[in-house]
């Protein structure tokens, strides 16, 4: 029986394994997925998780619940040695061990791209995982509680200042949703007003949302600024030390919440720890049929898809173009990849991946959105409905679709749940301090050392 090893359980990895389970005959091959997390994160829902419009667990799809005939290994692949047909696996518990394969599928996913900017590593938080989205929401709500007990002044201003770095889809959607949450929360805090809020979106280029044209992108900037936000274009973050934000245009302010969404980088195992061919960006060189290699030099039995693969875009009129790293392509590449693997196993014909974009749609907060398909642009409430409709259809499994719909309907009737559970991130505080606040610092020190 052939051993198929899938590196990464995100979009592309989950859908590839899911489709292989449905297509492989009994005893034809065994599928193994290696991923440190026991779930696939449906990343388009993360901005709505930050705003409380989607429950955190509903943005995560359990691997074990839906992959019944796949072996799951909780761990990280640290090295790929195709010459030996092995990958090195570092389990979440236990020692490293080699894992042999006959067929390798690399869908490791990208990592957050960072720069050596003072203070970012200590102050910022990303928006790539469910845990980060929940932490952002809880920190904002806790900041509201703290600010409401303070008089107007610099300390209150800092607590209610939110800074997003990066104007791509993830940054703009998270920024818009969190701004929507903050403005709606003011109704529950009579001590605070809209003038107390300060939201900043920083983008190094001259526009945001590169997937849409200039005019719709400019409309999004105008829409955010009409809601009280500041969008800093052609601006870079110079420093964030101790929460003091310094911008390249000379502006400075204090911010208690800094969210980093400034793009993705190739996964280190793909970029640095493999003998497979990679391009100048550190992405795997992939043919149109999703086999690793080039047309003249394919790598036998090694396939790749998703953010770490430079997949030729056959639907693009631009010669040499590659598919953009988004969920739309990752899901469809995975479906084609599973079909090609099965066809190759059975001596059949593999087919190239080709997908014409369905357009770009983004949420900008409750009841606000933007959609573009070629020259068609839809704004506001209709685009927001299209965003929700598309993603509730796209999230895998009927179980998740029903759960998400139920939360949306409940929120429509009763509003969003404005409860912060920031203390969940430090569950032992109450136990260790036992009512004595002065013990909290000792507990934090112990946790930080651990």
């Amino acid at each position: 029986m052939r051993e198929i090893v899938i590196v990464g359980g995100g979009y592309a990895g989950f859908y590839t394994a899911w489709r292989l389970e449905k297509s492989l005959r009994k005893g034809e091959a065994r599928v193994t997925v290696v991923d440190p997390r026991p779930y696939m994160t449906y990343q388009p829902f993360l901005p709505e998780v930050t705003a409380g419009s989607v429950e955190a667990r509903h943005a995560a799809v359990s691997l074990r619940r839906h992959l019944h005939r796949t072996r799951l290994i909780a761990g990280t692949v640290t090295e790929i040695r195709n010459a030996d047909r092995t990958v090195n696996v570092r389990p979440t518990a236990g020692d490293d061990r080699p894992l042999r394969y006959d067929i390798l599928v690399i869908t490791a996913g990208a990592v957050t791209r960072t720069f050596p900017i003072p203070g970012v590593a200590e102050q910022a938080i990303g928006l790539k995982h469910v845990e980060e989205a929940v932490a952002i929401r809880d920190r904002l709500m806790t900041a509201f509680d703290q600010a409401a007990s303070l008089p107007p002044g610099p300390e209150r201003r800092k607590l209610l200042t939110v800074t997003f770095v990066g104007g791509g889809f993830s940054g703009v959607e998270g920024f818009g949703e969190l701004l929507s949450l903050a403005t709606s929360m003011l109704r529950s805090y009579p001590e605070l007003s809209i003038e107390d809020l300060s939201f900043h979106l920083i983008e190094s280029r001259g526009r945001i949302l590169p997937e849409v044209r200039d005019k719709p992108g400019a409309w999004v900037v105008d829409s955010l600024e009409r809601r009280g936000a500041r969008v800093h274009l052609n601006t870079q973050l110079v420093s964030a030390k101790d929460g003091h934000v310094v911008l390249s245009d000379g502006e400075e302010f204090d911010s208690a919440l800094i969210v980093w969404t400034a793009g993705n980088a190739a996964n280190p195992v793909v970029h640095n720890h493999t003998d497979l061919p990679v391009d100048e960006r550190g992405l795997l060189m992939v043919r149109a049929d999703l086999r690793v290699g080039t047309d003249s030099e394919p790598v036998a039995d090694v396939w790749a898809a998703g953010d770490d693969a430079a997949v030729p875009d056959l639907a693009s009129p631009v010669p040499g173009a590659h598919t953009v790293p988004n969920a739309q392509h990752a899901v469809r590449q995975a479906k084609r990849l599973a079909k090609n693997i099965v066809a190759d196993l059975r001596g059949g014909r593999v087919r190239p991946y080709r997908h014409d974009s369905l357009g770009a749609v983004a949420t900008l907060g409750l009841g606000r959105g933007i959609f573009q398909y070629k020259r068609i642009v839809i704004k506001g409430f209709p685009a927001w409905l299209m965003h929700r409709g598309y993603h509730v259809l796209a999230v895998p499994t009927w179980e998740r679709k029903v759960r998400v719909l139920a939360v949306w309907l409940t929120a429509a009737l009763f509003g969003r749940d404005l409860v912060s559970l920031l203390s969940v991130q430090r569950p032992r505080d109450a136990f260790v301090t036992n009512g004595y606040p002065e013990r909290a610092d000792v507990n934090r020190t112990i946790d930080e050392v651990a």
Side-chain angles (χ1 to χ4, degrees):
M1 189 160 60
R2 308 292 296 278
E3 292 284 348
I4 302 175
V5 172
I6 300 176
V7 180
Y11 283 121
F14 172 81
Y15 273 97
T16 300
W18 206 23
R19 287 303 178 103
L20 285 174
E21 281 196 353
K22 297 176 181 179
S23 303
L24 290 171
R25 303 183 186 119
K26 186 176 181 180
E28 191 171 16
R30 181 170 71 166
V31 180
T32 299
V33 172
V34 183
D35 195 281
R37 288 180 168 82
Y39 56 82
M40 181 209 82
T41 302
Y42 190 73
Q43 291 185 348
F45 277 158
L46 294 187
E48 294 200 60
V49 171
T50 66
S53 298
V54 171
E55 288 294 328
R57 284 185 175 86
H58 299 168
V61 179
S62 169
L63 299 181
R64 291 192 178 275
R65 177 164 184 168
H66 300 290
L67 299 179
H68 304 293
R69 295 189 292 116
T70 297
R71 180 173 62 156
L72 300 173
I73 297 178
T76 303
V77 170
T78 59
E79 186 180 7
I80 299 171
R81 298 186 296 273
N82 189 55
D84 301 328
R85 291 295 178 104
T86 62
V87 296
N88 187 67
V89 178
R90 179 165 297 160
T92 53
D95 298 327
D96 289 18
R97 67 175 187 268
L99 180 64
R100 291 194 58 80
Y101 62 81
D102 296 300
I103 298 171
L104 180 65
V105 179
I106 304 173
T107 56
V111 297
T112 301
R113 181 181 61 185
T114 57
F115 301 97
I117 299 173
V120 167
E122 296 78 17
Q123 300 293 326
I125 184 170
L127 185 51
K128 201 169 183 62
H129 302 291
V130 173
E131 301 91 337
E132 294 172 322
V134 172
I136 291 169
R137 176 174 180 262
D138 286 346
R139 288 185 185 187
L140 179 69
M141 290 184 171
T142 300
F144 263 70
D145 289 333
Q146 294 172 346
S149 63
L150 293 173
E155 194 172 352
R156 176 196 271 192
R157 186 73 172 175
K158 180 179 180 178
L159 285 168
L160 299 180
T161 298
V162 176
T163 305
F164 272 66
V165 184
F169 259 82
S170 177
V172 172
E173 288 190 311
F175 185 77
E177 286 286 348
L178 207 64
L179 177 61
S180 176
L181 173 63
T183 52
S184 68
M185 286 175 62
L186 289 173
R187 293 192 293 268
S188 301
Y189 290 84
E191 305 91 341
L192 306 176
S193 67
I194 190 69
E195 288 75 21
D196 291 314
L197 297 182
S198 184
F199 273 67
H200 299 263
L201 176 62
I202 303 167
E203 171 54 49
S204 61
R205 293 168 293 187
R207 52 165 299 176
I208 61 174
L209 296 178
E211 294 86 350
V212 303
R213 298 200 313 271
D214 289 349
K215 193 172 181 180
W219 177 85
V220 172
V221 171
D222 182 63
S223 173
L224 292 171
E225 291 187 334
R226 280 189 280 110
R227 293 161 59 189
R230 287 279 308 281
V231 180
H232 305 262
L233 300 178
N234 295 310
T235 305
Q236 296 179 340
L237 178 65
V238 175
S239 174
K241 196 170 182 180
D242 298 324
H244 183 70
V245 174
V246 180
L247 305 182
S248 59
D249 61 5
E251 186 170 350
E252 300 183 23
F253 52 86
D254 291 327
S255 180
L257 179 56
I258 301 173
V259 183
W260 183 271
T261 59
N264 296 325
N267 194 293
V269 69
V270 171
H271 191 277
N272 302 318
H273 304 290
T274 179
D275 55 358
L276 295 169
V278 297
D279 65 11
E280 64 280 358
R281 298 172 296 167
L283 302 178
L284 287 165
M285 298 174 67
V286 177
R287 307 188 332 164
D289 60 6
L290 303 177
R291 195 190 303 271
V292 171
T294 62
D295 290 337
S296 59
E297 296 184 11
V299 179
D301 299 321
V302 182
W303 310 76
D307 293 350
D308 285 319
V311 180
D313 190 352
L314 301 184
S316 173
V318 180
H322 295 95
T323 58
V324 296
N326 61 20
Q328 190 177 139
H329 279 298
V331 171
R332 285 162 178 79
Q333 286 171 9
K335 294 176 181 179
R336 168 49 53 196
L337 178 54
K339 292 178 181 178
N340 281 354
I341 290 174
V342 173
D344 192 56
L345 275 172
R346 298 171 184 171
R349 178 188 172 193
V350 299
R351 299 180 182 276
Y353 169 76
R354 179 188 176 93
H355 171 65
D356 291 305
S357 174
L358 300 175
V361 62
T363 175
L364 304 175
L366 195 62
R368 301 176 177 91
I370 181 82
F371 168 80
Q372 178 186 305
Y373 176 69
K374 296 182 179 179
R375 293 189 175 276
I376 301 172
V377 177
I378 300 174
K379 307 170 185 175
F381 186 73
W384 177 77
L385 287 178
M386 294 173 69
H387 176 273
R388 286 206 160 182
Y390 172 78
H391 285 299
V392 80
L393 291 174
V395 68
T397 78
W398 279 103
E399 171 252 341
R400 276 293 177 264
K401 299 180 198 295
V402 172
R403 288 182 186 274
V404 171
L405 275 174
V407 172
W408 282 343
L409 291 173
T410 303
L413 291 174
F414 304 107
R416 287 181 282 207
D417 196 346
L418 302 181
V419 177
S420 170
L421 296 178
L422 187 63
S423 58
V424 169
Q425 297 174 39
R426 315 193 79 89
R428 296 183 62 250
D429 277 3
F431 173 74
V432 173
T433 60
N434 197 24
Y436 293 91
E438 61 271 17
R439 296 183 184 175
D441 289 338
V442 175
N443 184 47
R444 278 194 291 270
T445 303
I446 292 171
D447 284 351
E448 287 164 3
V449 171

